[in-house]
């Protein structure tokens, strides 16, 4: 038992060092790579939204079954190595420790990923509503949920939870090379977001886009206010809570990264 307890901090530190290495890679990503991963993530999650709408339409709005279908989009997101805006909280901030990468690198990554997620998702939403007009009422109802939440503490609390869920998912995915474990983590996060109709800025936007294209009574200005409020809450939850806690948990690895010492080679980390 004592030996297992002693190994646990080493496993956490190894996971953090993998996260630092991945964060440094993301911060130095070329523009074509940023465009590709950002657009792909919007497409992946939109496929999940399509699956959600399809199930809701054909099961008298069984949200739990729909959430299971939606999780396919997050599994695709993980296996295809595309990236949501909210996946770039913990990892790039860890990668920024002790390097020359500053606020500009983070803002470049965040802004580019968010805009590209939305662009890729809007295109898929337009295709879905055009190809499956019977889903229009379902799309409108999904989108209206977020306008009904409005701008207030409840919607902000839900947005914080969404940021926390995705950041925990990111930590789990980056800390293992097991595809099975990565699938479980991503599917679980996707299920929670859809089942709770939680306020995730990208997922909510893609559902609202489908509703707008289907003729919803709200406007793109309404969408923008929902997106901005949700994004702020996602950041507070993901960065202000989970990321800080993980840095504390990582202990000496976080201090070593902050001191400018690069993480060990991936092969050495994975040998633990």
């Amino acid at each position: 038992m004592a030996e297992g307890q002693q190994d646990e901090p080493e496993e956490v530190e190894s996971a953090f060092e993998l996260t630092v290495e991945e964060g440094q890679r993301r911060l130095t990503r070329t523009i074509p790579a940023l465009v590709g991963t950002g657009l792909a993530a919007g497409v992946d999650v939109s496929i999940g939204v399509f699956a959600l709408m399809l199930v809701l339409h054909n099961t008298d709005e069984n949200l739990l079954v729909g959430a299971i279908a939606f999780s396919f989009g997050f599994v695709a997101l993980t296996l295809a190595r595309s990236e949501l805006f909210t996946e770039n909280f913990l990892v790039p901030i860890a990668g920024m420790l002790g390097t020359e990468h500053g606020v500009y690198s983070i803002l470049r990554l965040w802004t580019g990923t968010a805009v590209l997620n939305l662009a890729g998702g809007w295109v898929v939403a337009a295709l879905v509503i055009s190809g499956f007009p019977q889903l229009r009422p379902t799309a409108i109802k999904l989108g209206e949920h977020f306008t009904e939440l409005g701008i207030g503490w409840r919607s902000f609390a839900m947005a914080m939870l969404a940021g926390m869920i995705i950041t925990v998912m990111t930590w789990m995915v980056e800390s293992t090379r097991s595809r099975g474990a990565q699938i479980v983590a991503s599917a679980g996060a996707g299920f929670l977001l859809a089942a709770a109709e939680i306020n995730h800025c990208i997922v909510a936007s893609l559902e609202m886009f489908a509703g707008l294209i289907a003729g919803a009574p709200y406007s793109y200005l309404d969408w923008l206010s929902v997106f901005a409020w949700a994004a702020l809450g996602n950041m507070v939850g993901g960065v202000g809570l989970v990321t800080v806690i993980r840095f504390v948990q990582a202990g000496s690895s976080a201090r070593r990264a902050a001191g400018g010492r690069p993480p060990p080679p991936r092969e050495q980390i994975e040998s633990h």
Side-chain angles (χ1 to χ4, degrees):
M1 179 67 70
E3 183 179 352
Q5 290 175 343
Q6 186 175 2
D7 289 342
E8 185 177 348
E10 294 181 2
E11 292 176 1
V12 172
E13 291 185 11
S14 296
F16 186 80
E17 287 163 352
L18 284 172
T19 302
V20 170
E21 182 183 345
E22 172 64 15
Q24 292 172 351
R25 186 185 67 81
R26 292 188 189 184
L27 289 171
T28 56
R29 179 174 289 146
T30 63
I31 294 297
L34 180 62
V35 171
T37 54
L39 286 175
V43 170
D44 292 341
V45 176
S46 287
I47 292 173
V49 172
F50 173 42
L52 171 64
M53 292 192 295
L54 204 59
V55 170
L56 291 177
H57 176 75
N58 289 287
T59 61
D60 294 325
E61 300 184 359
N62 189 320
L63 187 58
L64 292 182
V65 177
I68 294 172
F70 173 80
S71 66
F72 173 80
F74 270 68
V75 171
L77 185 78
T78 298
L79 295 183
R81 303 296 293 176
S82 49
E83 288 166 16
L84 279 181
F85 160 64
T86 49
E87 287 187 282
N88 281 321
F89 293 158
L90 171 66
V91 176
I93 291 175
M96 192 172 65
L97 294 177
T99 70
E100 72 279 6
H101 305 298
V103 175
Y104 169 77
S105 298
I106 288 284
L107 292 179
R108 170 183 175 269
L109 181 63
W110 284 354
T111 303
T113 305
V115 170
L116 291 161
N117 288 169
L118 295 172
W122 190 95
V123 170
V124 175
L127 292 174
V128 168
I129 298 304
S130 298
F132 298 86
Q134 70 271 26
L135 297 180
R136 288 175 180 267
T138 303
I140 291 172
K141 186 171 182 179
L142 279 175
E144 284 181 330
H145 166 72
F146 297 102
T147 60
E148 291 167 359
L149 280 178
I151 307 299
W153 170 242
R154 182 187 176 207
S155 57
F156 195 76
M158 292 174 71
M160 288 177 64
L161 286 170
M164 292 170 66
I165 289 168
I166 297 300
T167 307
V168 169
M169 181 198 83
T170 305
W171 170 259
M172 294 168 69
V173 168
E174 293 301 329
S175 65
T176 179
R177 300 277 74 85
S178 167
R179 285 300 192 190
Q182 291 174 343
I183 289 171
V184 169
S186 55
F191 175 82
L192 279 175
L193 291 182
E197 296 184 292
I198 211 162
N199 202 12
H200 182 277
C201 63
I202 301 299
V203 175
S205 292
L206 302 188
E207 293 181 6
M208 290 185 74
F209 286 164
L212 283 164
I213 296 165
Y218 53 85
S219 66
Y220 278 97
L221 188 60
D222 295 322
W223 158 73
L224 186 59
S225 64
V226 167
F227 170 80
W229 188 243
L232 179 61
N234 294 164
M235 293 178 70
V236 171
V239 178
L241 295 177
V242 177
T243 297
V244 171
I245 291 171
R246 295 305 176 188
F247 283 4
V248 173
Q249 183 187 17
S252 61
S253 290
R255 290 191 294 273
R256 179 166 60 247
R261 281 172 287 177
R266 180 174 293 266
E267 293 77 10
Q268 180 180 338
I269 297 171
E270 291 178 346
S271 67
H272 289 297

